[in-house]
Structures are given as structure tokens and as C-alpha cells.
Amino acid sequence: MSERRVAIAPSILAADFADFGREVRAVEDQGADMIHVDVMDGHFVPNLTFGPQMVKALRPHVKTVMDVHLMIAPVDPYIDAYAEAGADILSAHYEAGPHIHRTLQAIRGHGMKAGLALNPGTPVEVAGPVLDLCDTVLVMTVNPGFGGQSFLESQLEQIRRLRAMIGDRPITIGIDGGVDTRTAPLAAAAGGDMLVAGSAIFKHGSADDPAPYGEAITALREAARP
């Protein structure tokens, strides 16, 4: 079995809001594999962030992959808007609508990759019936809604169980929340393929001084290496 390569996805929730375009270009130039965009509605989670117009404005600056994580409810009425905005991957939470199967079908029907996001209180077993509609499963290792929270190590067993459920299917496991050089190896060893990191990357450097972004990305990638 070939070694899984762990991707690093900087979360722009931790970037300089007044300079998103340059921030995106800076982390991509420094080795980011994709850009993670957290969409929050103040209803499904206790915070407000970016709508479709902001995602659309970011799109020309993203040269890798735009990974849009919807922490909103309902999801289905907004799938068209985020597809038009240019999302490459669109992830929805299991609880964010009445029919997750239909939601994942609709995401794929718009030509995007489909992600299923699982909260810390959501059993991974709910993913079983819809795994074949998923390109990725995003395991929350914090409660969604805010950046800068501490990694919930209780989620490591959830990740291991999910990895066993997926088997050899081409489905990635994303890890979102509290990822740093201490927790990255734990998440990767449990089965994570993609690490979302906000403050662990953006607390270093700036768009004017991007080298520390690259150092942070490299440190995470090295920490996650088996």
C-alpha cells in the first residue's frame, strides 16, 4: 500500500480579512495544497463569516483548490450560489438539512466534489449509507463556529473508525480544528488525509512576509509524515 500524502489546507478564517487576495496567493506560493473557506451563518453555528459573493471574489486568487465548508442550515437553497461562486469542494454537515443524501447528490450534480462534515457529537456511522456519494468526509475536531479552539482528542477514535469504514475507496478524510504540530501526527496516524489549519499557519508572517507561512506549512506536513 502506498504512503498516503497528507494535504495542508490553510483556513482563511485566520487570515487578514482586509487582504484576502494576497493572503491566499502567499500561502499557495508557500506550499498550501488548497484553500479552506469557512462559511458560517450565525444560526447553525454561533458566528457569521462569508457569503457567496465573498467566495466569488476570492476565486480568481485561488490557483489550487477552493474547499468551501458550509456551516449553515439549510444548505440546499445555497448550493447553486456556491457552485456559481467557484467552489471546487463543497462540504455540508449531516444535521444541516433533512436529506443529506439529496444534498450530496445536488453538490455532485453541480460538478463539485461533495464533502460530508461530522460534528464531535455526530456518530461516524451516519456516513455509512452515503459514503459512495462522498469525495471527502470532514471530521470536526472542535465544535464548529470559531477558530483557535483546542483539538478534541476524543475524535481520534472517530477518525480511526471512519478510515476502517472507507477501506480502499478514494475518499479523503479531512481534519478540522485545533491542528498544529502536536496534533497533526495524531490526526494523520488515525487516518486523516487533509489537515485544515488556521492560526497554526497565519499567526506566523504576513502577505508582506510570507516565508513563515511556508515554514509553518512544511512543519505541519513533516509532523504528519508517518
Side-chain angles (χ1 to χ4, degrees):
M1 182 176 174
S2 62
E3 178 183 310
R4 285 183 297 111
R5 181 185 184 278
V6 175
I8 306 298
S11 168
I12 63 164
L13 187 64
D16 179 354
F17 279 29
D19 208 5
F20 271 152
R22 292 177 68 230
E23 291 276 60
V24 164
R25 294 195 298 274
V27 290
E28 287 190 330
D29 288 345
Q30 292 294 323
D33 296 289
M34 58 183 69
I35 300 297
H36 189 82
V37 183
D38 289 304
V39 175
M40 306 180 191
D41 65 358
H43 166 69
F44 185 69
V45 294
N47 203 355
L48 279 169
T49 58
F50 321 115
Q53 290 305 312
M54 173 61 88
V55 174
K56 187 173 184 178
L58 277 173
R59 178 70 260 187
H61 301 281
V62 178
K63 305 306 179 189
T64 55
V65 173
M66 180 179 274
D67 175 28
V68 178
H69 174 196
L70 298 183
M71 288 171 269
I72 68 175
V75 166
D76 292 0
Y78 296 96
I79 293 173
D80 288 1
Y82 284 99
E84 184 181 339
D88 296 303
I89 304 170
L90 197 67
S91 296
H93 281 255
Y94 178 78
E95 297 86 357
H99 304 292
I100 191 62
H101 188 283
R102 179 182 295 156
T103 299
L104 295 168
Q105 278 185 320
I107 292 170
R108 281 190 157 189
H110 281 79
M112 297 176 287
K113 290 186 175 181
L116 172 64
L118 301 176
N119 286 326
T122 306
V124 294
E125 287 73 19
V126 302
V130 295
L131 271 181
D132 287 332
L133 283 172
C134 296
D135 297 286
T136 186
V137 180
L138 187 66
V139 178
M140 299 301 300
T141 43
V142 297
N143 282 295
F146 294 96
Q149 299 182 70
S150 297
F151 186 93
L152 296 173
E153 294 196 17
S154 57
Q155 289 299 91
L156 293 171
E157 178 57 27
Q158 296 278 72
I159 299 165
R160 285 190 283 267
R161 283 155 57 190
L162 180 61
R163 173 53 61 194
M165 289 167 59
I166 289 172
D168 61 0
R169 284 178 280 196
I171 302 169
T172 62
I173 297 177
I175 311 299
D176 188 354
V179 171
D180 56 25
T181 53
R182 184 190 72 83
T183 57
L186 304 177
D193 299 297
M194 185 271 282
L195 304 179
V196 176
S199 56
I201 293 172
F202 286 105
K203 72 181 178 183
H204 306 279
S206 66
D208 289 324
D209 178 26
Y213 291 165
E215 293 164 8
I217 290 167
T218 297
L220 286 171
R221 190 174 283 121
E222 290 298 317
R225 195 182 301 278

